[in-house]
Amino acid sequence: MSRIKQVAPVEQRIELFIRVNDLAEGVVDRLSTLTPQQLEAVMESGLKIQKAVNPSGVAMKRITEVVRALPTPRTGRVALVGRREGHSQITSYGCRGRDRGYDDYGAMPADVLAAMEDLGLEQWCGEVLRRLSLWQRQTVIREIGTMRSVRNPSGVVMSRIRSIAKVDELISIFVDINGLDRNV
């Protein structure tokens, strides 16, 4: 691994990591939100996930542990563009579609920033919270209170959001975050 690390940039190594382990699209999507430092940490124990029935599950566990240990800064992610013909394509440093609004933290309400920091929420989850009405946002934050020791805090928050937001609101938020054409 050390020889590969010396000659190949993190973008090439993470692509190799995805191909060698035949990781699922959801894992590739999650990897696309990580910084180069976080990607290095995910691959730290080797490019090949050994003795795993479900390498995608192992990779997701590594990602979760890395995100908790190394918080994501606002910039510097490696963009992965999904799987095509069995492998991912890494474009460059920057943001993918769903990350477009993340550079505008000045528009993020203080209560959302506090919840993201306190609960360890992922940035996309903060974006969803930001797009809710004030009442909906306060309801979600009040319901989750000070949850601790949750494996996937963003998933818990999203389940609360789904319980109070209408389907058409959620679709509108999804379209907005991903920069999709509303006329399609």
Side-chain angles (χ1 to χ4, degrees):
M1 172 70 177
S2 63
R3 175 77 176 132
I4 293 173
K5 192 172 183 178
Q6 290 174 355
V7 297
V10 69
E11 295 90 351
Q12 290 177 343
R13 285 184 282 123
I14 198 68
E15 185 174 333
L16 182 62
F17 179 74
I18 291 165
R19 271 192 265 155
V20 164
N21 295 298
D22 192 28
L23 299 178
E25 182 68 32
V27 178
V28 174
D29 187 49
R30 186 85 188 268
L31 285 168
S32 72
T33 65
L34 302 181
T35 65
Q37 179 187 14
Q38 290 171 324
L39 291 171
E40 293 284 1
V42 168
M43 296 183 290
E44 190 172 281
S45 58
L47 284 177
K48 175 70 176 151
I49 297 175
Q50 301 290 331
K51 299 178 185 174
V53 174
N54 181 3
S56 291
V58 173
M60 286 299 277
K61 182 173 177 18
R62 286 186 188 180
I63 292 167
T64 301
E65 290 170 354
V66 166
V67 167
R68 286 189 180 143
L70 303 169
T72 307
R74 294 180 184 158
T75 60
R77 289 183 212 101
V78 172
L80 303 173
V81 181
R83 293 164 50 114
R84 293 201 176 95
E85 299 174 16
H87 66 280
S88 70
Q89 290 183 328
I90 297 176
T91 56
S92 64
Y93 289 94
C95 296
R96 281 188 60 185
R98 78 176 193 182
D99 295 333
R100 286 185 186 125
Y102 294 161
D103 294 333
D104 186 17
Y105 278 89
M108 191 71 74
D111 60 337
V112 174
L113 285 173
M116 287 174 65
E117 183 177 315
D118 186 46
L119 302 170
L121 300 178
E122 295 177 61
Q123 293 172 335
W124 63 267
C125 189
E127 283 296 316
V128 174
L129 277 171
R130 179 172 76 105
R131 286 169 170 81
L132 295 175
S133 71
L134 178 60
W135 177 83
Q136 289 171 323
R137 193 168 60 235
Q138 288 174 340
T139 301
V140 169
I141 291 172
R142 186 173 46 251
E143 283 181 9
I144 57 177
T146 56
M147 78 176 163
R148 298 288 179 262
S149 303
V150 175
R151 183 172 172 208
N152 183 359
S154 295
V156 173
V157 169
M158 285 306 298
S159 72
R160 300 300 192 280
I161 289 171
R162 282 192 300 270
S163 71
I164 65 161
K166 296 177 185 171
V167 173
D168 60 330
E169 290 175 307
L170 293 173
I171 291 171
S172 178
I173 290 170
F174 177 81
V175 167
D176 188 38
I177 288 175
N178 288 290
L180 301 175
D181 185 4
R182 293 179 186 273
N183 299 324
V184 175

